Amino acid sequence: MKRYLPGVLAMAAIVVASNILVQYLFGQWLTWGAFTYPFAFLVTDLTNRLQGPRAARGVVVAGFVVGIICSLIGSQIIGEFGPLVSFRVALGSGAAFLAAQLTDVSVFNALRRDRWWKAPLVSTLIGASLDTAIFFTTAFSLQLAWLEPGNDVSWANEMLPLLSFGPMVPLWISLACADWCVKIALAVIALAPFRAFTWRNSPSVA
C-alpha cells in the first residue's frame, strides 16, 4: 500500500487544485482548472505503467473520493450566483472522472505492450473525450434539466457562434470544445514526462 502513496497524493493534489482553479476564468472559454485536471491522466498512466492496472484503479478511486469531498465542501460555499458547486456539476464531475479514468486504465492496459507512446496517448485521448462529453452534458445540457430543476442553466444554453467563429450552438458546447482541445494538447505534452519517468524507473508490470 505504501508504494501506491505517491500516485494517490499526486492525484489528490491535482483534484484539489483543479477544484479550486475551476473558479477562476482564463479567457472567454476556459478556467485555470482546465490546465491542471488533464494531468490526472498522466498520474493514472504512470501508475498503470509502473505498478499495473490494479494500482492505477486504486489511485483513481482515491481521486474520486477526494473529488466528492471537494464537491461537498463547494456545495456549502455560497457565491454570487448560489453554491459554488451545484448538484449537476458535482454529479457530472464525479461521473466523468470515474468513467474517464477507469476507461483510461483499461485502454492503457490493452495497449501496454505496443510502442511506448501508444498506450498513454490513445488511452488519454479516449478518456479525455469521454470526460468532457459526460461532464458538460450532465452539468449544462437543457435535456438533463430534470436532474436539478432549481438550477437555472439558461446562461449555458445561450446560442452563440462555436468558439466565436463557428455555427450557432449552445454556449456549453463551446466551453466543452475549448476544454477538450486543452486536454488533447496536454495529452501530447504529457508524453515527455511520461517517457522521462518510465525511462528512469523499471516497471514492476511489463
Side-chain angles (χ1 to χ4, degrees), residues 49 108-116 119 205-206:
R49 171 59 72 190
F108 186 104
N109 197 46
L111 300 174
R112 68 185 311 122
R113 297 188 184 278
D114 287 355
R115 298 284 295 274
W116 71 266
V205 177

Side-chain angles (χ1 to χ4, degrees), residues 79-95:
E80 183 180 356
F81 303 104
L84 293 184
V85 179
S86 68
F87 171 73
R88 287 184 64 177
V89 167
L91 178 63
S93 178

Side-chain angles (χ1 to χ4, degrees), residues 49-143:
R49 171 59 72 190
L50 298 174
Q51 298 177 318
R54 182 176 180 181
R57 292 188 185 99
V59 168
V60 168
V61 171
F64 178 70
V65 171
V66 172
I68 290 177
I69 294 172
C70 288
S71 292
L72 289 174
I73 294 173
S75 68
Q76 301 304 309
I77 301 175
I78 306 301
E80 183 180 356
F81 303 104
L84 293 184
V85 179
S86 68
F87 171 73
R88 287 184 64 177
V89 167
L91 178 63
S93 178
F97 179 88
L98 202 58
Q101 294 292 330
L102 291 179
T103 298
D104 179 277
V105 172
S106 297
V107 173
F108 186 104
N109 197 46
L111 300 174
R112 68 185 311 122
R113 297 188 184 278
D114 287 355
R115 298 284 295 274
W116 71 266
W117 54 267
K118 191 170 185 179
L121 183 60
V122 174
S123 63
T124 298
L125 292 180
I126 294 174
S129 299
L130 190 61
D131 183 277
T132 298
I134 292 175
F135 172 72
F136 283 93
T137 302
T138 303
F140 303 120
S141 171
L142 274 182
Q143 285 70 28

